[in-house]
Amino acid sequence: MIGWTTPRGWAHIGAGFAFALLIPAFVTQNFLLHIAILVLFSAYLGQAWNIAGGYAGQRSFGHAVFVGTGAYVTAILQTRFGWNPWLTLPPAIIGGAAVGWLIGFLSFRAGLRGSYFALITLAFSEVARILANSLEITRGGLGILVPLSPGFANFQFANKGNFFIVVLAMFAVAFGIAWWLEKSRFGARLVAVRENEDAAAALGVDTFKAKLHALMLSGGMAALGGSFYVQYYLYVEPPIAYGVERSVEMLLVSMIGGSGTVLGPLVGSIALHLISDTTRHFLEAPGVALILYGIVLILIVGFLPDGLISLFRRRPTVVPDTDSGAPARRGAHA
Amino acid sequence: MLEAQSLTKAFGGLVAVRDASIKVPEGRIVSLIGPNGAGKTTLFAMVAGFLRPDRGTVTFQGQDITGWQPHRICALGMVRTFQITQPFANLTVLENVMVGAYARIANRLEAAELARKVATRVGLGARLDQPAQGLTVAGRKRLELARALATQPKLLLLDEVMAGLNPTEITEIVQVIRGIRDSGVTIFLIEHVMQAVMSLSEYTYVLNNGALIAEGEPKAVASDPHVIEAYLGHGAAERIKKGNAHA
Ligand SMILES: Nc1ncnc2c1ncn2[C@@H]1O[C@H](COP(=O)(O)OP(=O)(O)O)[C@@H](O)[C@H]1O
Ligand SMILES: [Mg+2]
């Protein structure tokens, strides 16, 4: 858990972001930039999931409910009420956090854990999808088209390089939040709740509040991702906003890479895009992605429960603990 | 400092604790003994907010805390350890203890400093960076103690922290507990190890089948025929008297 504090750690991270910033200057093919944007976007959403699912251990199966909410808040404010898209971001984040509060309040008050919590979140995202499909304000199944009008003021860029910079900035903020969790009392409390709720409560952690705040933070972050999606594709419809594929991708990215770690979602996003982009040409039928995701998930949970990132990390060498906690005692028993 | 009045708790048909009243005065080491299944842990759980009593009240420093949640009770200054140890398995020893330290300290470096000090005090100084899941039973017991102590409590509830320890380790931990009391923390402990109860506590309660059957100074309580029968079975007191087995 503790790491990244060294000057070398800082240098690596700084170099990584500096390198990423240079990508748009050298990569001019739009399809390569598009892939880079998608990788960072998935990593960002995976990091949002990771706050609640990885650090706090509340594994949701329906995080699309937050992404979709952010997407619709932005699209509706922009097209119906004529808001500037940049200004829709705060309400979108607040909307995601509010949905997080609602789901968290209901399920944590009821004491739902593990797969029960996962199922409840899935149910919420499905309800949201059905609502979006039938309500007038979301234009039902037709979806909402955002009119094209490129320009920085409109959060629309003719050049994909600028979108890349925006998603890189979002990723950097999410990265910073995860990093802060590793260093802060709030983060320590989330991890304590994940590891053992009773022990956490005994040591003064308000476990209900900790889980609730984690889900609100996670939901707000995911909602911002939804806003970005709308500006990038200029379109949103119920299955895109609230689809199960989105939820599964978010948890998968985090778990493949290593949930509860700062870099896990990025590693997972790169891995997942490598897998799905190389297999896409062979498997075009609808639903195949979900099957593929399922297989990947089973393999990861079965063989690499701490994610790909555990392959890179040096395991702490465990000193064989014979009987006493104090090494000074050793001689006495030898 | 702590007062429980007529606490009662039933699980289904089984009454685990029946009408138990105890008092723990400030600055003392008070113990609670009794055979397995007597209801000791259940009594602790009610006092610390983990179980809501069916009947009865809990008062801490003059405040009625019956039914309060554990984290609020911890904030007031009462903390429990678990008989079945509950480590944060994937965290290091230091990180485990820091969770306790964060109860009163928001700053990370200060929390780490206190955690280090407390862990060293209970004999975990050499294992700070080791994952908690690698600890032995004795190590885990120490970790329970260290985490609780790091919350800077006024009253410490210890649930069998000596079970599974060898005699040397027991002597050691008895010293540690005495040191904790001398630093101003009141202690209420459940213990099976009679030798430890005798040497540590000044007052003891005996629970059997959910009911308090004796209380008083440990020496007096240990020779009480009711207590001997509870521990060794019906007729034991008689047999011991006949066999003159006082040693
Ligand atoms: N959560 C529970 N549900 C049902 N029965 C319980 C529960 N906790 C304890 N008991 C029962 O209550 C009795 C007292 O248990 P406990 O308080 O753990 O005793 P002790 O700590 O003195 O060994 C035992 O018979 C035990 O089986
Ligand atoms: Mg017990």
Side-chain angles (χ1 to χ4, degrees):
Chain A
M1 294 276 142
I2 296 170
W4 301 105
T5 33
T6 57
R8 252 184 81 210
W10 278 103
H12 283 157
I13 292 156
F17 279 112
F19 173 76
L21 269 174
L22 290 176
I23 287 180
F26 290 97
V27 180
T28 46
Q29 293 100 323
N30 265 339
F31 85 96
L32 282 181
L33 274 175
H34 176 64
I35 289 175
I37 288 167
L38 290 188
V39 168
L40 274 184
F41 182 62
S42 295
Y44 172 81
L45 287 183
Q47 191 69 281
W49 184 92
N50 193 31
I51 305 299
Y55 285 97
Q58 308 303 307
R59 297 189 159 178
S60 142
F61 222 85
H63 249 56
V65 72
F66 305 119
V67 183
T69 298
Y72 273 114
V73 167
T74 282
I76 290 169
L77 287 177
Q78 198 176 347
T79 59
R80 296 237 167 182
F81 301 96
W83 283 43
N84 177 288
W86 291 107
L87 294 181
T88 69
L89 301 184
I93 293 171
I94 291 168
V99 173
W101 179 87
L102 179 71
I103 296 176
F105 187 85
L106 294 176
S107 40
F108 299 144
R109 257 293 121 86
L112 297 182
R113 297 184 188 186
S115 22
Y116 296 101
F117 175 71
L119 283 176
I120 279 291
T121 55
L122 175 62
F124 267 97
S125 67
E126 282 299 285
V127 167
R129 189 175 60 79
I130 291 163
L131 281 179
N133 231 328
S134 45
L135 289 179
E136 200 267 327
I137 189 144
T138 52
R139 291 174 42 88
L142 289 176
I144 299 175
L145 263 169
V146 176
L148 185 69
S149 63
F152 178 81
N154 291 330
F155 201 155
Q156 289 181 21
F157 311 105
N159 176 2
K160 279 201 192 311
N162 292 328
F163 272 115
F164 178 85
I165 301 291
V166 170
V167 79
L168 180 65
M170 284 164 54
F171 173 79
V173 169
F175 179 93
I177 289 174
W179 194 352
W180 166 70
L181 288 185
E182 301 257 346
K183 305 269 155 253
S184 64
R185 167 156 84 169
F186 178 59
R189 288 178 163 172
L190 296 191
V191 171
V193 166
R194 175 190 75 203
E195 293 289 316
N196 191 321
E197 267 197 65
D198 279 345
L203 299 174
V205 179
D206 185 342
T207 58
F208 173 75
K209 204 165 96 182
K211 290 189 285 186
L212 194 59
H213 288 175
L215 197 59
M216 289 170 70
L217 177 58
S218 178
M221 289 167 67
L224 180 64
S227 303
F228 175 86
Y229 184 96
V230 168
Q231 299 312 312
Y232 190 61
Y233 287 102
L234 298 176
Y235 180 62
V236 60
E237 59 166 8
I240 289 176
Y242 292 118
V244 166
E245 282 88 350
R246 172 70 67 203
S247 298
V248 174
E249 187 187 299
M250 288 170 82
L251 79 92
L252 207 53
V253 155
S254 182
M255 288 181 64
I256 292 179
S259 65
T261 66
V262 174
L263 276 178
L266 179 62
V267 173
S269 173
I270 293 169
L272 195 67
H273 278 274
L274 282 177
I275 297 170
S276 63
D277 288 347
T278 48
T279 51
R280 180 158 300 155
H281 307 289
F282 311 107
L283 317 159
E284 268 294 347
V288 167
L290 272 182
I291 296 173
L292 184 70
Y293 286 174
I295 294 169
V296 172
L297 185 61
I298 290 168
L299 290 177
I300 286 289
V301 169
F303 295 104
L304 212 57
D306 292 331
L308 289 171
I309 204 154
S310 61
L311 295 175
F312 302 106
R313 192 184 292 144
R314 272 181 300 126
R315 287 259 123 217
T317 42
V318 176
V319 188
D321 186 0
T322 45
D323 58 338
S324 166
R329 293 251 63 80
R330 280 279 162 66
H333 301 294
Chain B
M1 163 167 264
L2 173 73
E3 204 173 331
Q5 277 291 338
S6 322
L7 286 181
T8 299
K9 181 80 197 174
F11 299 109
L14 175 93
V15 184
V17 176
R18 185 193 308 270
D19 200 26
S21 299
I22 51 106
K23 251 187 206 167
V24 180
E26 188 163 359
R28 307 292 289 277
I29 301 182
V30 175
S31 60
L32 176 63
I33 62 173
N36 262 326
K40 305 181 296 293
T41 298
T42 305
L43 181 70
F44 259 34
M46 283 190 280
V47 167
F50 282 82
L51 285 175
R52 180 180 277 277
D54 298 337
R55 259 200 315 282
T57 57
V58 182
T59 315
F60 181 60
Q61 292 191 313
Q63 185 159 19
D64 184 348
I65 57 163
T66 317
W68 280 33
Q69 288 190 297
H71 66 96
R72 289 184 66 202
I73 293 177
C74 174
L76 271 190
M78 171 172 17
V79 65
R80 74 173 288 197
T81 66
F82 294 90
Q83 177 182 5
I84 300 164
T85 56
Q86 310 279 348
F88 304 125
N90 291 306
L91 306 191
T92 65
V93 166
L94 180 66
E95 287 164 343
N96 266 267
V97 183
M98 276 177 75
V99 174
Y102 275 134
R104 274 174 231 292
I105 302 174
N107 180 281
R108 176 167 171 264
L109 294 179
E110 289 170 24
E113 194 187 310
L114 174 66
R116 225 173 255 123
K117 234 166 48 194
V118 170
T120 307
R121 188 168 169 193
V122 305
L124 285 171
R127 309 209 170 270
L128 292 175
D129 297 321
Q130 189 177 316
Q133 60 192 353
L135 294 176
T136 57
V137 175
R140 285 170 185 226
K141 295 278 182 187
R142 288 172 199 270
L143 186 60
E144 283 285 332
L145 182 57
R147 284 194 317 197
L149 207 50
T151 66
Q152 300 177 269
K154 296 175 188 134
L155 172 61
L156 194 52
L157 307 182
L158 303 176
D159 196 344
E160 299 203 21
V161 284
M162 294 171 212
L165 271 58
N166 67 35
T168 333
E169 291 164 343
I170 289 175
T171 320
E172 241 172 48
I173 210 130
V174 163
Q175 288 307 322
V176 171
I177 292 173
R178 217 175 254 132
I180 294 169
R181 195 274 304 271
D182 292 343
S183 69
V185 181
T186 308
I187 290 170
F188 185 28
L189 56 87
I190 293 177
E191 207 41 76
H192 239 89
V193 183
M194 277 310 268
Q195 165 211 349
V197 172
M198 292 294 181
S199 72
L200 259 182
S201 68
E202 296 134 356
Y203 200 82
T204 192
Y205 289 91
V206 186
L207 203 59
N208 187 33
N209 283 328
L212 287 173
I213 56 167
E215 63 179 276
E217 302 217 330
K219 284 229 168 56
V221 163
S223 51
D224 183 323
H226 291 109
V227 177
I228 297 173
E229 301 227 338
Y231 266 88
L232 301 176
H234 190 67
E238 275 303 306
R239 288 198 300 276
I240 287 174
K241 211 181 268 169
K242 278 189 195 139
N244 196 16
H246 286 287

